[in-house]
Amino acid sequence: QKEVEQDPGPLSVPEGAIVSLNCTYSNSAFQYFMWYRQYSRKGPELLMYTYSSGNKEDGRFTAQVDKSSKYISLFIRDSQPSDSATYLCAMVSSGGYNKLIFGAGTRLAVHP
Amino acid sequence: DAGVTQSPTHLIKTRGQQVTLRCSPKSGHDTVSWYQQALGQGPQFIFQYYEEEERQRGNFPDRFSGHQFPNYSSELNVNALLLGDSALYLCASSLAGKTEAFFGQGTRLTVV
């Protein structure tokens, strides 16, 4: 079993839809949770960073962490065609020296 | 402010050859990590350098080695290349004690 599970999609939604992306994990030591966006043939771009459980909002993006369920989510409101990319969740354990453990990524396509 | 820069962007090598990839971290960052991303997969941690020492290593063979220079830039070396080494190699920089990691655009290595 992988430490971090993420549905690879692809996920196709119409412009303006609310998108929900999710990851589950098995390692209780994970304390830091990140979402990266990766356009085709580019490096990952840090979108959201949260510590422990709770919600964090930044513009159209909201990240949620539920440590009791070992489940994290990224919501995108009013999705745009420019949001079409692969979204990667990543986690770091406490004392993990920034060693990121990634999910496989979910491909998102937002069509006009 | 220059972000993380990697060179070269693309590279084609023959099986058995050796390759060196280079990374300059984001200004002010002192920690460099290397990741391998196969097509359709999330990045996999190779190793991390801090204060010119390898601080942590992932599950990669000794054919993968690295170096960090006094100016915090880093190199990744891969010896005896295999077809399976074909991937996007990503460099991430961070500040010691901070979890957020920022990625370069990657080097796409093709082994033929």
Side-chain angles (χ1 to χ4, degrees):
Chain A
Q1 182 189 5
K2 292 183 179 180
E3 282 190 278
V4 180
E5 298 280 358
Q6 184 175 11
D7 188 336
L11 185 61
S12 181
V13 302
E15 184 176 354
I18 296 175
V19 176
S20 172
L21 303 166
N22 311 294
C23 289
T24 59
Y25 62 95
S26 57
N27 188 346
S28 299
F30 287 141
Q31 295 285 344
Y32 304 90
F33 304 90
M34 281 143 280
W35 286 95
Y36 286 85
R37 177 175 63 196
Q38 186 174 28
Y39 292 112
S40 181
R41 299 185 175 273
K42 301 292 185 183
E45 171 194 8
L46 181 62
L47 275 180
M48 300 287 286
Y49 163 78
T50 53
Y51 170 68
S52 199
S53 286
N55 294 357
K56 185 174 183 179
E57 186 173 323
D58 184 1
R60 296 186 295 111
F61 299 91
T62 299
Q64 286 186 351
V65 175
D66 182 348
K67 290 192 67 181
S68 63
S69 301
K70 297 189 178 67
Y71 188 88
I72 71 170
S73 300
L74 177 71
F75 297 95
I76 307 174
R77 289 183 298 280
D78 188 25
S79 56
Q80 302 295 311
S82 59
D83 295 327
S84 299
T86 295
Y87 290 80
L88 296 154
C89 63
M91 308 180 187
V92 178
S93 59
S94 55
Y97 290 129
N98 295 13
K99 174 185 174 182
L100 297 171
I101 306 298
F102 282 89
T106 299
R107 281 196 296 137
L108 171 66
V110 181
H111 52 86
Chain B
D1 175 26
V4 181
T5 58
Q6 292 185 242
S7 63
T9 306
H10 297 87
L11 204 52
I12 300 175
K13 289 287 190 178
T14 303
R15 272 182 303 175
Q17 284 189 316
Q18 178 263 346
V19 68
T20 298
L21 311 180
R22 296 176 175 82
C23 172
S24 292
K26 185 177 169 66
S27 178
H29 285 184
D30 56 8
T31 303
V32 173
S33 303
W34 287 92
Y35 291 80
Q36 180 195 67
Q37 186 177 24
L39 200 60
Q41 301 296 318
Q44 298 290 315
F45 177 80
I46 302 174
F47 43 53
Q48 182 182 92
Y49 277 84
Y50 171 68
E51 292 189 339
E52 303 180 51
E53 296 284 334
E54 182 182 293
R55 182 158 70 172
Q56 196 169 9
R57 189 179 183 91
N59 188 24
F60 279 81
D62 292 343
R63 297 187 298 108
F64 290 77
S65 63
H67 188 78
Q68 186 179 35
F69 299 94
N71 66 353
Y72 307 120
S73 67
S74 177
E75 288 182 349
L76 164 66
N77 301 292
V78 187
N79 294 322
L81 285 166
L82 304 174
L83 295 179
D85 295 331
S86 295
L88 181 68
Y89 287 85
L90 295 161
C91 169
S93 77
S94 56
L95 191 57
K98 300 290 186 183
T99 309
E100 295 110 311
F102 298 87
F103 284 82
Q105 80 281 8
T107 294
R108 184 160 298 280
L109 173 65
T110 303
V111 182
V112 296

